[in-house]
Amino acid sequence: MSERLIQSIERAADVLEIFLTTNSELSVKEISEKVNLSKSTVHGIIKTLEHRGYLQQNPDDLKYRLGIKLFELGNFVGKHLDIRSIARPIIKDLVNELNETVHLVLLNRNEIIYIEKEDGPRTLTMYSHIGKRAPVHCTGVGKAILAYLSDQEVDRLLSIQNLQPFTEFTITDKQAIKNHLQSVRECGYAVDDEEIELGLKCIAAPIFNHQGNVIASISCAAPKIRLDEERLPKVIAGIQKAASEISKALGYKGVMQR
């Protein structure tokens, strides 16, 4: 990276981000161990973050948790993330049409993150929720994005991913994944056929911005038994149509593959 990074801000970000993957409350000692910094350094960072409202201390056990300021910032970002407001009515229409759960995701760093989810009327228990992160190599939404990135970016993402198998159907070989992405580009949609969760099938399509770059994807998720050969064409058509509508609303001028 050519930009000059400010170490103190990097360290503060590290402290905040450990709360995303660990207990909701942590002591100074626990934080120090997790970010591999001295307790004195961590204490200074924590007190600064606490002063600005990004962390708050529990008076009962003196441990720290995320503060209200992060909620305020997150709420602001959510309200002003245009793709969500643009996509939401399209997603609702699609859920009404298909009677299945629909997701909207973005690529964030090396994973996908679910930024919108509308549940269908039929109960479906699955791993996803808004804010949830998931790998790109074995999710329909992840593969729908991967397929339209440059070869160099795909190589980079696959080289740093832990291509772990979640089920017996997960593709973990890099070349096999690349071959699969080629088929995604040819048909214009991606399929997760029990790759991340047994019994679950997802159909996903890419979303492009005004510059023609893939920035997100949308999917329909349902028990595999409900996405049989008879119903599949309707689901694929619905997902591709919704992806096209969102892309056009974002200024995309190209032709979506059908």
Side-chain angles (χ1 to χ4, degrees):
M1 184 175 293
S2 59
E3 295 88 353
R4 180 176 174 272
L5 300 181
I6 300 174
Q7 187 182 58
S8 59
I9 297 177
E10 282 271 278
R11 287 175 170 177
D14 288 341
V15 168
L16 290 174
E17 288 176 2
I18 63 171
F19 287 90
L20 298 176
T21 57
T22 188
N23 296 332
S24 59
E25 291 191 353
L26 295 168
S27 67
V28 174
K29 181 176 182 293
E30 290 170 330
I31 295 172
S32 173
E33 292 172 349
K34 289 181 181 296
V35 298
N36 197 28
L37 292 172
S38 68
K39 287 177 64 177
S40 60
T41 298
V42 168
H43 186 266
I45 293 171
I46 287 173
K47 285 302 175 183
T48 303
L49 292 172
E50 183 184 22
H51 174 70
R52 298 300 297 265
Y54 294 103
L55 288 178
Q56 61 186 65
Q57 190 177 41
N58 185 335
D60 295 328
D61 58 13
L62 302 183
K63 290 188 175 184
Y64 290 87
R65 54 178 177 255
L66 294 178
I68 193 66
K69 180 64 69 174
L70 288 170
F71 174 80
E72 292 171 356
L73 287 175
N75 195 40
F76 180 87
V77 170
K79 288 181 179 178
H80 292 81
L81 191 57
D82 284 346
I83 189 171
R84 286 185 68 193
S85 58
I86 289 171
R88 191 173 291 116
I90 297 172
I91 288 174
K92 287 184 178 294
D93 287 344
L94 185 59
V95 170
N96 290 335
E97 176 188 344
L98 300 179
N99 293 319
E100 301 292 357
T101 298
V102 174
H103 298 111
L104 177 69
V105 312
L106 298 176
L107 180 65
N108 182 259
R109 294 188 178 181
N110 309 317
E111 301 171 301
I112 56 163
I113 181 168
Y114 292 83
I115 63 168
E116 193 64 59
K117 177 183 179 182
E118 183 76 19
D119 289 316
R122 290 181 279 191
T123 302
L124 175 61
T125 302
M126 66 174 78
Y127 60 90
S128 63
H129 57 78
I130 294 176
K132 172 77 175 179
R133 293 176 178 272
V136 296
H137 72 286
C138 58
T139 53
V141 280
K143 292 186 290 184
I145 294 174
L146 268 185
Y148 294 90
L149 296 175
S150 67
D151 292 340
Q152 293 82 1
E153 183 64 4
V154 170
D155 285 334
R156 186 190 72 82
L157 287 170
L158 294 182
S159 67
I160 60 178
Q161 288 275 306
N162 176 15
L163 303 179
Q164 69 178 96
F166 288 84
T167 74
E168 60 188 289
F169 303 107
T170 307
I171 305 173
T172 57
D173 178 77
K174 290 181 182 178
Q175 189 55 53
I177 293 173
K178 290 181 181 180
N179 294 340
H180 184 71
L181 295 179
Q182 177 59 37
S183 68
V184 173
R185 287 189 291 272
E186 290 173 356
C187 64
Y189 64 90
V191 179
D192 159 18
D193 194 356
E194 298 186 283
E195 291 180 53
I196 195 166
E197 186 173 328
L198 288 175
L200 183 70
K201 190 168 185 174
C202 298
I203 309 298
I207 294 170
F208 301 91
N209 66 8
H210 66 285
Q211 296 176 315
N213 299 321
V214 63
I215 60 166
S217 63
I218 186 173
S219 75
C220 169
K224 184 174 180 177
I225 193 172
R226 293 211 296 258
L227 296 183
D228 56 23
E229 293 300 318
E230 180 180 349
R231 190 160 181 251
L232 203 54
K234 178 181 179 180
V235 173
I236 292 170
I239 284 293
Q240 289 187 305
K241 181 174 180 287
S244 178
E245 290 176 353
I246 297 170
S247 297
K248 288 178 180 178
L250 292 170
Y252 179 61
K253 303 298 183 184
V255 178
M256 301 285 283
Q257 188 168 355
R258 299 287 181 87

